């Protein structure tokens, strides 16, 4: 596994260390949306600097925020190894959504870690709490508005993952993940559990129907594609763009809903039931203010001539509500956002298993300083040459880390950028500046971590649910 992952030429696989950074190609191949169609309120440094570069259906969440409606945020952590700077980017995003009013759920992927990394559940729990959640608390997640749970103890997650297994098959797993006949079945189950992670916060037990956004590195997108696929396939009502003006609603008759939607075992339609369902849909659409509706139970469709593409998500949510009233799961496809990966200290990929590539959140200040001093630089080999040609901040790790992690001031950063490019700042000077910022950041983080350590338990309020 790990060599072919669905996409023809860009290699992205949630378990391998290969990583493409051709983000435009990724957007195109995975069908992500870039950020140009979204107005982000109170953008964080990750937004302002283009580090968050793509999304799926983020407008649902922004709309919920603008309309003061609920939305949730879900992320997961793999309890293996130590938390490093790269991991903190997702938490920055989660924090940002939390400040916008999102309720936060965090999955500890202890089952996945056991299945794919051989880490026992007990060990996974310990790593999650001491390595990750303690750092999340220090990074500023609010324990009152954050719920951490373990995959192994939340039966609703496992149940949902199992049930939705019906909506996919081995061919799809082969094409998304490159799985083959000899793939271990625990590896097949892990993504289904993650589907359960991502979808369960919208069940009635865990907060009800609302948009849920999943901020991730792009390596996790295969899981999102799977999740969105199975959620959509489970839906009882479809919305399509009409050939004429407006939107078209159709039914998706499945084993589970056939009798409710009026299809009898002999294949004939129960007229009364069909009419009842259609009247139900019409009533729901009226609640949204549509009066001109063309309901055609015989053909199995309802046309809304006045609706446009931008109305789709409101209508979808209404129909999912109705589906739930009729006894269906009514699952809304998750939204997601994607961030660029910060480069590793060596200029390659950042990875927990290669300490030289990254800064761990518990590195002491001396180690931190040494690591940055040795980091890959975008400077020239001699001072003369550097003054003459200038350096390249785009590949300079010290500059990059200031941009990603340590420097808040955009103007100052822009100055560093141009002064590096025109040769006024030398590579060694850039490193020194980064060391100073990083040292401040790290000392501050350590101090806060001590102060917030006692909060870890309060993140687990609904642990056993
Ligand atoms: N698979 C993720 C990882 O390798 C962990 C994870 C589990 C996750 N469930 C999730 C991430 C849900 C995002 C959303 O890190």
């Amino acid at each position: 596994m790990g060599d072919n992952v669905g996409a023809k030429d860009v290699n992205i696989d949630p378990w391998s260390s290969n990583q493409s950074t051709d983000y435009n190609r990724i957007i195109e191949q995975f069908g992500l949306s870039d950020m140009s169609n979204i107005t982000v309120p109170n953008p964080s440094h990750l937004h302002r600097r283009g580090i968050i570069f793509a999304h799926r259906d983020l407008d649902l969440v922004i709309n919920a925020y603008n309309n003061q409606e609920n939305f949730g945020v879900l992320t997961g952590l793999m309890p293996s190894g130590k938390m490093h700077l790269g991991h903190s980017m997702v938490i920055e995003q989660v924090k940002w959504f939390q400040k916008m009013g999102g309720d936060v759920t965090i999955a500890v992927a202890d089952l996945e870690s056991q299945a794919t990394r051989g880490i026992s559940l007990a060990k996974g729990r310990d790593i999650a709490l001491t390595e990750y959640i303690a750092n999340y608390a220090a990074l500023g997640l609010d324990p009152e508005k954050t719920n951490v749970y373990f995959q192994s103890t939340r039966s609703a997650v496992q149940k949902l993952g199992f049930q939705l297994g019906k909506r996919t098959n081995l061919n799809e797993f082969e094409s998304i993940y490159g799985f083959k006949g000899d793939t271990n079945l625990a590896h097949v189950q892990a993504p289904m559990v993650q589907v359960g992670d991502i979808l369960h916060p919208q069940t009635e037990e865990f907060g009800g129907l609302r948009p849920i956004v999943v901020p991730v590195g792009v390596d996790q997108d295969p899981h999102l594609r799977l999740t969105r696929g199975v959620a959509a396939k489970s839906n009882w009502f479809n919305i399509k763009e009409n050939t004429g003006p407006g939107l078209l609603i159709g039914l998706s008759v499945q084993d589970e809903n056939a009798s409710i939607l009026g299809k009898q075992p002999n294949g004939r339609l129960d007229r009364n039931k069909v009419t009842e369902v259609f009247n139900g849909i019409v009533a729901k659409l009226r609640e949204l203010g549509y009066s001109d509706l063309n309901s055609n139970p015989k053909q199995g469709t309802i046309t809304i001539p006045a609706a446009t593409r931008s109305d789709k998500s409101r209508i979808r949510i209404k129909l999912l509500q109705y589906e739930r009233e009729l006894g269906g799961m009514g699952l809304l496809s998750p939204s997601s956002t994607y961030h660029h990966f910060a480069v590793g200290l060596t200029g390659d990929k950042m990875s927990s298993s290669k300490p030289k590539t990254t800064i761990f959140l518990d590195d002491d200040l001396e180690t931190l300083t040494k690591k940055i001093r040795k980091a890959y630089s975008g400077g020239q080999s001699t001072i003369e040459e550097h003054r003459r040609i200038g350096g390249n901040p785009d590949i300079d790790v010290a500059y990059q880390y200031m941009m990603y992690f340590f420097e808040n001031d955009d103007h100052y950063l822009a100055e560093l950028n141009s002064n590096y490019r025109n040769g006024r700042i030398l590579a060694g000077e850039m490193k020194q500046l980064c060391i100073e910022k990083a040292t401040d950041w790290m000392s501050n983080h350590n101090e806060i971590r001590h102060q917030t350590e006692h909060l870890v338990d309060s993140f687990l309020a609904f642990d056993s649910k």
Side-chain angles (χ1 to χ4, degrees), residues 125-410:
R125 184 180 180 99
D126 184 54
I127 295 176
L129 297 181
T130 56
E131 261 307 316
Y132 289 82
I133 305 305
N135 279 313
Y136 293 6
L139 289 171
L141 278 196
D142 179 352
E144 301 298 312
K145 296 180 193 148
T146 308
N147 173 226
V148 175
Y149 74 93
F150 298 84
Q151 286 178 331
S152 64
T153 59
R154 189 161 278 188
S155 58
V157 163
Q158 297 168 30
K159 183 169 129 193
L160 200 54
F162 188 98
Q163 290 171 324
L164 289 167
K166 241 190 122 166
R167 308 285 167 208
T168 179
N169 59 34
L170 291 173
N171 286 334
E172 191 181 20
F173 270 52
E174 185 183 352
S175 89
I176 295 182
Y177 299 108
F179 287 168
K180 293 281 183 299
D182 65 355
T183 300
N184 190 298
L185 285 192
H187 241 117
V188 177
Q189 291 184 59
M192 288 317 299
V193 177
Q194 185 153 341
V195 166
D197 286 330
I198 294 172
L199 293 173
H200 90 284
Q202 54 170 301
T203 61
E204 297 310 316
E205 190 185 0
F206 291 97
L209 182 56
R210 67 203 186 288
I212 303 289
V213 60
V214 187
V216 285
V218 74
D219 61 313
Q220 295 296 305
D221 188 57
H223 298 311
L224 278 144
R225 273 180 282 155
L226 175 69
T227 306
R228 290 169 58 89
V230 297
K233 278 181 231 154
S234 77
N235 290 167
W236 292 11
F237 307 110
N238 306 319
I239 310 169
K240 288 187 212 120
E241 266 148 71
N242 198 5
T243 37
L247 295 174
L248 191 72
I249 293 170
L251 308 194
S252 165
V253 181
Q254 311 164 4
D255 291 351
E256 286 82 353
N257 64 21
S259 83
I260 297 168
L261 297 184
K263 192 163 181 197
Q264 295 168 324
N266 62 9
R268 293 232 186 90
L269 293 183
D270 174 337
R271 286 258 179 91
N272 290 335
K273 272 202 179 155
V274 175
T275 311
E276 207 182 302
V277 169
F278 273 72
N279 289 344
I281 298 176
V282 166
K284 289 285 172 194
L285 295 172
R286 291 242 156 88
E287 286 172 22
L288 287 177
Y290 297 108
S291 47
D292 176 19
L293 297 166
N294 191 348
S295 177
N296 194 337
K298 253 195 203 145
Q299 206 180 295
T301 58
I302 295 180
T303 320
I304 322 171
T308 63
R309 224 160 139 202
S310 60
D311 300 327
K312 237 181 180 173
S313 48
R314 305 165 57 217
I315 297 173
R316 169 154 295 127
I317 290 177
K318 259 299 183 216
L319 293 175
L320 292 173
Q321 265 163 7
Y322 186 46
E323 179 187 326
R324 288 182 184 206
E325 285 166 22
L326 295 175
M329 292 199 270
L331 297 173
L332 178 62
S333 285
S335 305
S336 50
T337 56
Y338 303 87
H339 60 75
H340 287 171
F341 294 109
V343 64
L345 286 163
T346 50
D348 306 322
K349 195 211 160 197
M350 193 185 269
S351 158
S352 316
S353 55
K354 296 183 193 132
K356 283 188 183 150
T357 64
T358 189
I359 293 169
F360 294 105
L361 294 194
D362 64 356
D363 276 349
D364 57 46
L365 299 181
E366 198 185 326
T367 310
L368 174 73
T369 303
K370 268 196 202 141
K371 280 182 169 177
I372 297 175
R373 207 159 269 148
K374 282 202 198 129
Y376 186 80
S377 116
Q380 306 302 338
S381 45
T382 66
I383 292 184
E384 292 69 37
E385 212 177 319
H386 190 92
R387 294 276 186 231
R388 191 161 48 82
I389 317 177
N392 181 359
D394 302 336
I395 58 166
D396 190 272
V397 171
Y399 174 80
Q400 291 289 314
Y401 280 23
M402 285 202 270
M403 168 165 115
Y404 275 74
F405 308 115
F406 304 130
E407 182 52 65
N408 265 325
D409 185 334
D410 290 349

